[in-house]
Amino acid sequence: MDARSLSARLNKPIKILIVLLGIGILANVTVEFYAEKKRGELERNFCESKQVRDTLARINEGAPRRIDDATILKGAACEDDSFIYDYALNSSPNLDLSALNAGDAEILKEMLFAKAKVSFCSTEFSQRLRELGKTMVLNYEIEGLPPIQLKLDKNSCAR
């Protein structure tokens, strides 16, 4: 076999590889473009986006739902580019809220914020909220105390 016929035989697989590589690059660019388009939709119409509506439907389908012995997730909503969770916090064997007064509410708020911050700064969904500049709001109804509202945004993870 001479160099010319060997070159001709190798060119065909190389051309196929180049075409496949080109298709792969095109597919990757298309996926990236689609992801950016979807991201743009999330930025412009966050609460109306399919992703947010689907997430809310999944959360609210099982609500109210007990999270732990003291916390009940009442539901979720989206308003003004904020993803909102509504909770009820009740006394439990591990937490006696009846002993708390209004002055203790600030300490409880700080404890709830610290716990919420860990989750907010580590979950994939919250990461997307931070990237989009959206806010997560956690509303707590607490027996015997005024309601507590926590707002977490992209700056919350830096504190």
Side-chain angles (χ1 to χ4, degrees), residues 34-55 78 81-83 125 128-129 131-134:
Y34 182 72
E36 281 301 310
K37 181 179 177 201
K38 292 295 276 182
R39 181 178 174 151
E41 289 173 18
L42 277 173
E43 288 171 344
R44 287 187 305 277
N45 301 311
F46 179 71
C47 290
E48 292 81 30
S49 71
K50 181 175 177 7
Q51 183 179 0
V52 170
R53 286 192 330 260
D54 289 349
T55 301
C78 188
D81 286 344
S82 291
F83 199 89
F125 178 71
R128 292 285 292 139
L129 289 178
E131 289 171 357
L132 293 168
K134 307 303 180 195

mmCIF file of all heavy atoms in Angstrom, residues 34-55 78 81-83 125 128-129 131-134:
data_model
loop_
_atom_site.group_PDB
_atom_site.id
_atom_site.type_symbol
_atom_site.label_atom_id
_atom_site.label_comp_id
_atom_site.label_asym_id
_atom_site.label_seq_id
_atom_site.Cartn_x
_atom_site.Cartn_y
_atom_site.Cartn_z
ATOM 1 N N TYR A 34 -29.911 27.381 24.479
ATOM 2 C CA TYR A 34 -31.220 27.098 25.050
ATOM 3 C C TYR A 34 -31.226 27.378 26.553
ATOM 4 O O TYR A 34 -32.159 27.974 27.073
ATOM 5 C CB TYR A 34 -31.627 25.650 24.781
ATOM 6 C CG TYR A 34 -32.997 25.314 25.300
ATOM 7 C CD1 TYR A 34 -34.134 25.802 24.679
ATOM 8 C CD2 TYR A 34 -33.153 24.503 26.428
ATOM 9 C CE1 TYR A 34 -35.398 25.507 25.162
ATOM 10 C CE2 TYR A 34 -34.411 24.204 26.909
ATOM 11 C CZ TYR A 34 -35.527 24.696 26.275
ATOM 12 O OH TYR A 34 -36.771 24.409 26.770
ATOM 13 N N ALA A 35 -30.148 26.979 27.243
ATOM 14 C CA ALA A 35 -30.052 27.230 28.684
ATOM 15 C C ALA A 35 -30.048 28.729 28.963
ATOM 16 O O ALA A 35 -30.712 29.209 29.879
ATOM 17 C CB ALA A 35 -28.807 26.571 29.259
ATOM 18 N N GLU A 36 -29.308 29.491 28.150
ATOM 19 C CA GLU A 36 -29.292 30.942 28.324
ATOM 20 C C GLU A 36 -30.663 31.544 28.037
ATOM 21 O O GLU A 36 -31.098 32.463 28.719
ATOM 22 C CB GLU A 36 -28.226 31.577 27.417
ATOM 23 C CG GLU A 36 -26.837 31.470 27.958
ATOM 24 C CD GLU A 36 -26.687 32.128 29.312
ATOM 25 O OE1 GLU A 36 -27.093 33.286 29.494
ATOM 26 O OE2 GLU A 36 -26.151 31.465 30.224
ATOM 27 N N LYS A 37 -31.339 31.022 27.021
ATOM 28 C CA LYS A 37 -32.678 31.515 26.707
ATOM 29 C C LYS A 37 -33.613 31.242 27.877
ATOM 30 O O LYS A 37 -34.370 32.116 28.295
ATOM 31 C CB LYS A 37 -33.198 30.842 25.440
ATOM 32 C CG LYS A 37 -34.574 31.324 25.034
ATOM 33 C CD LYS A 37 -35.038 30.642 23.773
ATOM 34 C CE LYS A 37 -36.452 31.121 23.473
ATOM 35 N NZ LYS A 37 -37.170 30.225 22.628
ATOM 36 N N LYS A 38 -33.555 30.013 28.428
ATOM 37 C CA LYS A 38 -34.385 29.669 29.570
ATOM 38 C C LYS A 38 -34.033 30.558 30.759
ATOM 39 O O LYS A 38 -34.911 31.002 31.482
ATOM 40 C CB LYS A 38 -34.224 28.199 29.953
ATOM 41 C CG LYS A 38 -34.774 27.219 28.960
ATOM 42 C CD LYS A 38 -36.263 27.328 28.843
ATOM 43 C CE LYS A 38 -36.936 26.529 29.916
ATOM 44 N NZ LYS A 38 -38.375 26.540 29.838
ATOM 45 N N ARG A 39 -32.750 30.811 30.956
ATOM 46 C CA ARG A 39 -32.331 31.677 32.054
ATOM 47 C C ARG A 39 -32.900 33.069 31.869
ATOM 48 O O ARG A 39 -33.384 33.680 32.800
ATOM 49 C CB ARG A 39 -30.817 31.724 32.137
ATOM 50 C CG ARG A 39 -30.356 32.580 33.277
ATOM 51 C CD ARG A 39 -28.870 32.598 33.406
ATOM 52 N NE ARG A 39 -28.542 33.563 34.424
ATOM 53 C CZ ARG A 39 -27.495 33.499 35.176
ATOM 54 N NH1 ARG A 39 -26.649 32.517 35.040
ATOM 55 N NH2 ARG A 39 -27.252 34.422 36.075
ATOM 56 N N GLY A 40 -32.885 33.558 30.645
ATOM 57 C CA GLY A 40 -33.471 34.864 30.359
ATOM 58 C C GLY A 40 -34.954 34.888 30.689
ATOM 59 O O GLY A 40 -35.465 35.867 31.231
ATOM 60 N N GLU A 41 -35.638 33.785 30.382
ATOM 61 C CA GLU A 41 -37.059 33.696 30.723
ATOM 62 C C GLU A 41 -37.235 33.724 32.231
ATOM 63 O O GLU A 41 -38.152 34.362 32.741
ATOM 64 C CB GLU A 41 -37.670 32.416 30.142
ATOM 65 C CG GLU A 41 -37.813 32.458 28.636
ATOM 66 C CD GLU A 41 -38.262 31.132 28.053
ATOM 67 O OE1 GLU A 41 -38.782 30.283 28.798
ATOM 68 O OE2 GLU A 41 -38.083 30.947 26.844
ATOM 69 N N LEU A 42 -36.355 33.022 32.961
ATOM 70 C CA LEU A 42 -36.444 33.036 34.416
ATOM 71 C C LEU A 42 -36.180 34.426 34.976
ATOM 72 O O LEU A 42 -36.806 34.838 35.936
ATOM 73 C CB LEU A 42 -35.439 32.043 35.023
ATOM 74 C CG LEU A 42 -35.876 30.596 35.082
ATOM 75 C CD1 LEU A 42 -34.719 29.713 35.537
ATOM 76 C CD2 LEU A 42 -37.065 30.406 35.983
ATOM 77 N N GLU A 43 -35.239 35.137 34.369
ATOM 78 C CA GLU A 43 -34.935 36.485 34.857
ATOM 79 C C GLU A 43 -36.088 37.446 34.596
ATOM 80 O O GLU A 43 -36.415 38.270 35.434
ATOM 81 C CB GLU A 43 -33.662 37.006 34.189
ATOM 82 C CG GLU A 43 -32.417 36.315 34.689
ATOM 83 C CD GLU A 43 -31.191 36.671 33.889
ATOM 84 O OE1 GLU A 43 -31.319 37.211 32.768
ATOM 85 O OE2 GLU A 43 -30.085 36.392 34.378
ATOM 86 N N ARG A 44 -36.709 37.334 33.431
ATOM 87 C CA ARG A 44 -37.780 38.270 33.070
ATOM 88 C C ARG A 44 -39.119 37.911 33.692
ATOM 89 O O ARG A 44 -39.845 38.785 34.133
ATOM 90 C CB ARG A 44 -37.930 38.326 31.550
ATOM 91 C CG ARG A 44 -36.813 39.064 30.856
ATOM 92 C CD ARG A 44 -37.098 39.248 29.378
ATOM 93 N NE ARG A 44 -37.386 37.995 28.690
ATOM 94 C CZ ARG A 44 -36.475 37.145 28.224
ATOM 95 N NH1 ARG A 44 -35.203 37.407 28.395
ATOM 96 N NH2 ARG A 44 -36.820 36.046 27.592
ATOM 97 N N ASN A 45 -39.470 36.648 33.694
ATOM 98 C CA ASN A 45 -40.791 36.207 34.159
ATOM 99 C C ASN A 45 -40.632 35.114 35.205
ATOM 100 O O ASN A 45 -41.179 34.027 35.065
ATOM 101 C CB ASN A 45 -41.611 35.664 32.975
ATOM 102 C CG ASN A 45 -41.802 36.697 31.902
ATOM 103 O OD1 ASN A 45 -42.184 37.817 32.193
ATOM 104 N ND2 ASN A 45 -41.525 36.332 30.674
ATOM 105 N N PHE A 46 -39.900 35.409 36.238
ATOM 106 C CA PHE A 46 -39.541 34.399 37.225
ATOM 107 C C PHE A 46 -40.759 33.654 37.772
ATOM 108 O O PHE A 46 -40.846 32.437 37.682
ATOM 109 C CB PHE A 46 -38.752 35.054 38.364
ATOM 110 C CG PHE A 46 -38.353 34.107 39.447
ATOM 111 C CD1 PHE A 46 -37.385 33.157 39.221
ATOM 112 C CD2 PHE A 46 -38.942 34.165 40.703
ATOM 113 C CE1 PHE A 46 -37.004 32.271 40.212
ATOM 114 C CE2 PHE A 46 -38.573 33.290 41.700
ATOM 115 C CZ PHE A 46 -37.605 32.335 41.459
ATOM 116 N N CYS A 47 -41.695 34.385 38.333
ATOM 117 C CA CYS A 47 -42.846 33.729 38.972
ATOM 118 C C CYS A 47 -43.755 33.017 37.973
ATOM 119 O O CYS A 47 -44.453 32.075 38.341
ATOM 120 C CB CYS A 47 -43.651 34.739 39.788
ATOM 121 S SG CYS A 47 -42.778 35.288 41.278
ATOM 122 N N GLU A 48 -43.754 33.441 36.720
ATOM 123 C CA GLU A 48 -44.613 32.826 35.710
ATOM 124 C C GLU A 48 -43.915 31.716 34.939
ATOM 125 O O GLU A 48 -44.541 31.034 34.131
ATOM 126 C CB GLU A 48 -45.115 33.879 34.710
ATOM 127 C CG GLU A 48 -46.084 34.882 35.310
ATOM 128 C CD GLU A 48 -45.377 35.995 36.068
ATOM 129 O OE1 GLU A 48 -44.234 36.345 35.700
ATOM 130 O OE2 GLU A 48 -45.957 36.491 37.051
ATOM 131 N N SER A 49 -42.632 31.514 35.188
ATOM 132 C CA SER A 49 -41.881 30.511 34.422
ATOM 133 C C SER A 49 -42.366 29.102 34.762
ATOM 134 O O SER A 49 -42.832 28.824 35.865
ATOM 135 C CB SER A 49 -40.387 30.625 34.706
ATOM 136 O OG SER A 49 -40.107 30.179 36.014
ATOM 137 N N LYS A 50 -42.248 28.224 33.801
ATOM 138 C CA LYS A 50 -42.686 26.836 33.984
ATOM 139 C C LYS A 50 -41.911 26.169 35.112
ATOM 140 O O LYS A 50 -42.487 25.448 35.920
ATOM 141 C CB LYS A 50 -42.519 26.053 32.681
ATOM 142 C CG LYS A 50 -42.972 24.603 32.789
ATOM 143 C CD LYS A 50 -42.911 23.894 31.457
ATOM 144 C CE LYS A 50 -43.266 22.441 31.486
ATOM 145 N NZ LYS A 50 -43.770 21.825 32.651
ATOM 146 N N GLN A 51 -40.622 26.416 35.191
ATOM 147 C CA GLN A 51 -39.796 25.799 36.224
ATOM 148 C C GLN A 51 -40.300 26.181 37.620
ATOM 149 O O GLN A 51 -40.430 25.322 38.489
ATOM 150 C CB GLN A 51 -38.340 26.216 36.044
ATOM 151 C CG GLN A 51 -37.402 25.572 37.027
ATOM 152 C CD GLN A 51 -35.957 25.982 36.795
ATOM 153 O OE1 GLN A 51 -35.638 26.741 35.902
ATOM 154 N NE2 GLN A 51 -35.070 25.474 37.619
ATOM 155 N N VAL A 52 -40.587 27.446 37.844
ATOM 156 C CA VAL A 52 -41.055 27.894 39.157
ATOM 157 C C VAL A 52 -42.462 27.358 39.424
ATOM 158 O O VAL A 52 -42.747 26.867 40.517
ATOM 159 C CB VAL A 52 -40.999 29.433 39.273
ATOM 160 C CG1 VAL A 52 -41.712 29.923 40.531
ATOM 161 C CG2 VAL A 52 -39.547 29.900 39.260
ATOM 162 N N ARG A 53 -43.331 27.426 38.428
ATOM 163 C CA ARG A 53 -44.703 26.902 38.613
ATOM 164 C C ARG A 53 -44.669 25.417 38.938
ATOM 165 O O ARG A 53 -45.402 24.954 39.820
ATOM 166 C CB ARG A 53 -45.545 27.153 37.363
ATOM 167 C CG ARG A 53 -45.960 28.602 37.184
ATOM 168 C CD ARG A 53 -47.033 28.788 36.109
ATOM 169 N NE ARG A 53 -47.003 27.824 35.032
ATOM 170 C CZ ARG A 53 -46.486 28.019 33.830
ATOM 171 N NH1 ARG A 53 -45.947 29.187 33.531
ATOM 172 N NH2 ARG A 53 -46.500 27.082 32.906
ATOM 173 N N ASP A 54 -43.813 24.644 38.261
ATOM 174 C CA ASP A 54 -43.699 23.208 38.536
ATOM 175 C C ASP A 54 -43.169 22.954 39.947
ATOM 176 O O ASP A 54 -43.645 22.058 40.651
ATOM 177 C CB ASP A 54 -42.792 22.529 37.513
ATOM 178 C CG ASP A 54 -43.419 22.434 36.129
ATOM 179 O OD1 ASP A 54 -44.633 22.707 35.987
ATOM 180 O OD2 ASP A 54 -42.679 22.101 35.178
ATOM 181 N N THR A 55 -42.185 23.733 40.356
ATOM 182 C CA THR A 55 -41.624 23.593 41.700
ATOM 183 C C THR A 55 -42.683 23.895 42.752
ATOM 184 O O THR A 55 -42.836 23.160 43.732
ATOM 185 C CB THR A 55 -40.400 24.517 41.877
ATOM 186 O OG1 THR A 55 -39.414 24.176 40.905
ATOM 187 C CG2 THR A 55 -39.807 24.394 43.272
ATOM 188 N N CYS A 78 -44.933 32.399 44.922
ATOM 189 C CA CYS A 78 -43.953 33.256 44.279
ATOM 190 C C CYS A 78 -44.624 34.605 44.042
ATOM 191 O O CYS A 78 -45.697 34.674 43.428
ATOM 192 C CB CYS A 78 -43.491 32.647 42.958
ATOM 193 S SG CYS A 78 -42.108 33.549 42.208
ATOM 194 N N ASP A 81 -40.874 38.392 42.338
ATOM 195 C CA ASP A 81 -39.564 37.771 42.144
ATOM 196 C C ASP A 81 -38.968 37.190 43.424
ATOM 197 O O ASP A 81 -37.750 37.060 43.549
ATOM 198 C CB ASP A 81 -38.575 38.748 41.512
ATOM 199 C CG ASP A 81 -38.872 38.972 40.037
ATOM 200 O OD1 ASP A 81 -39.618 38.173 39.456
ATOM 201 O OD2 ASP A 81 -38.319 39.923 39.467
ATOM 202 N N SER A 82 -39.824 36.851 44.375
ATOM 203 C CA SER A 82 -39.385 36.177 45.597
ATOM 204 C C SER A 82 -40.071 34.825 45.689
ATOM 205 O O SER A 82 -41.277 34.717 45.465
ATOM 206 C CB SER A 82 -39.751 36.996 46.839
ATOM 207 O OG SER A 82 -38.993 38.174 46.890
ATOM 208 N N PHE A 83 -39.287 33.812 46.016
ATOM 209 C CA PHE A 83 -39.831 32.477 46.255
ATOM 210 C C PHE A 83 -40.129 32.413 47.744
ATOM 211 O O PHE A 83 -39.236 32.620 48.563
ATOM 212 C CB PHE A 83 -38.819 31.404 45.846
ATOM 213 C CG PHE A 83 -39.441 30.072 45.624
ATOM 214 C CD1 PHE A 83 -39.934 29.729 44.375
ATOM 215 C CD2 PHE A 83 -39.564 29.162 46.657
ATOM 216 C CE1 PHE A 83 -40.524 28.494 44.154
ATOM 217 C CE2 PHE A 83 -40.146 27.931 46.449
ATOM 218 C CZ PHE A 83 -40.630 27.597 45.194
ATOM 219 N N PHE A 125 -31.154 24.627 43.998
ATOM 220 C CA PHE A 125 -32.253 25.534 43.693
ATOM 221 C C PHE A 125 -31.947 26.937 44.214
ATOM 222 O O PHE A 125 -32.130 27.925 43.511
ATOM 223 C CB PHE A 125 -33.565 25.016 44.298
ATOM 224 C CG PHE A 125 -34.731 25.936 44.071
ATOM 225 C CD1 PHE A 125 -35.283 26.069 42.808
ATOM 226 C CD2 PHE A 125 -35.267 26.668 45.118
ATOM 227 C CE1 PHE A 125 -36.363 26.924 42.583
ATOM 228 C CE2 PHE A 125 -36.340 27.518 44.901
ATOM 229 C CZ PHE A 125 -36.884 27.643 43.635
ATOM 230 N N ARG A 128 -29.455 28.758 42.086
ATOM 231 C CA ARG A 128 -30.085 29.371 40.906
ATOM 232 C C ARG A 128 -30.769 30.684 41.296
ATOM 233 O O ARG A 128 -30.686 31.666 40.555
ATOM 234 C CB ARG A 128 -31.100 28.417 40.280
ATOM 235 C CG ARG A 128 -30.491 27.199 39.640
ATOM 236 C CD ARG A 128 -29.817 27.476 38.313
ATOM 237 N NE ARG A 128 -30.804 27.843 37.320
ATOM 238 C CZ ARG A 128 -30.641 28.803 36.426
ATOM 239 N NH1 ARG A 128 -29.533 29.478 36.374
ATOM 240 N NH2 ARG A 128 -31.570 29.086 35.555
ATOM 241 N N LEU A 129 -31.441 30.708 42.445
ATOM 242 C CA LEU A 129 -32.076 31.952 42.897
ATOM 243 C C LEU A 129 -31.031 33.041 43.078
ATOM 244 O O LEU A 129 -31.231 34.184 42.640
ATOM 245 C CB LEU A 129 -32.817 31.733 44.221
ATOM 246 C CG LEU A 129 -34.091 30.911 44.189
ATOM 247 C CD1 LEU A 129 -34.653 30.766 45.602
ATOM 248 C CD2 LEU A 129 -35.127 31.518 43.278
ATOM 249 N N GLU A 131 -28.044 33.256 41.654
ATOM 250 C CA GLU A 131 -27.512 33.649 40.340
ATOM 251 C C GLU A 131 -28.456 34.592 39.618
ATOM 252 O O GLU A 131 -28.022 35.489 38.896
ATOM 253 C CB GLU A 131 -27.280 32.407 39.480
ATOM 254 C CG GLU A 131 -26.121 31.548 39.915
ATOM 255 C CD GLU A 131 -26.065 30.216 39.175
ATOM 256 O OE1 GLU A 131 -26.978 29.930 38.354
ATOM 257 O OE2 GLU A 131 -25.131 29.456 39.439
ATOM 258 N N LEU A 132 -29.755 34.371 39.784
ATOM 259 C CA LEU A 132 -30.750 35.197 39.103
ATOM 260 C C LEU A 132 -31.054 36.491 39.857
ATOM 261 O O LEU A 132 -31.820 37.320 39.390
ATOM 262 C CB LEU A 132 -32.053 34.402 38.925
ATOM 263 C CG LEU A 132 -31.965 33.205 37.975
ATOM 264 C CD1 LEU A 132 -33.202 32.335 38.120
ATOM 265 C CD2 LEU A 132 -31.792 33.672 36.543
ATOM 266 N N GLY A 133 -30.466 36.651 41.045
ATOM 267 C CA GLY A 133 -30.710 37.850 41.843
ATOM 268 C C GLY A 133 -32.084 37.846 42.497
ATOM 269 O O GLY A 133 -32.627 38.910 42.803
ATOM 270 N N LYS A 134 -32.636 36.662 42.723
ATOM 271 C CA LYS A 134 -33.959 36.539 43.338
ATOM 272 C C LYS A 134 -33.817 36.343 44.841
ATOM 273 O O LYS A 134 -32.743 36.049 45.357
ATOM 274 C CB LYS A 134 -34.755 35.374 42.737
ATOM 275 C CG LYS A 134 -34.850 35.413 41.222
ATOM 276 C CD LYS A 134 -35.447 36.694 40.706
ATOM 277 C CE LYS A 134 -35.522 36.689 39.184
ATOM 278 N NZ LYS A 134 -35.753 37.981 38.612
#
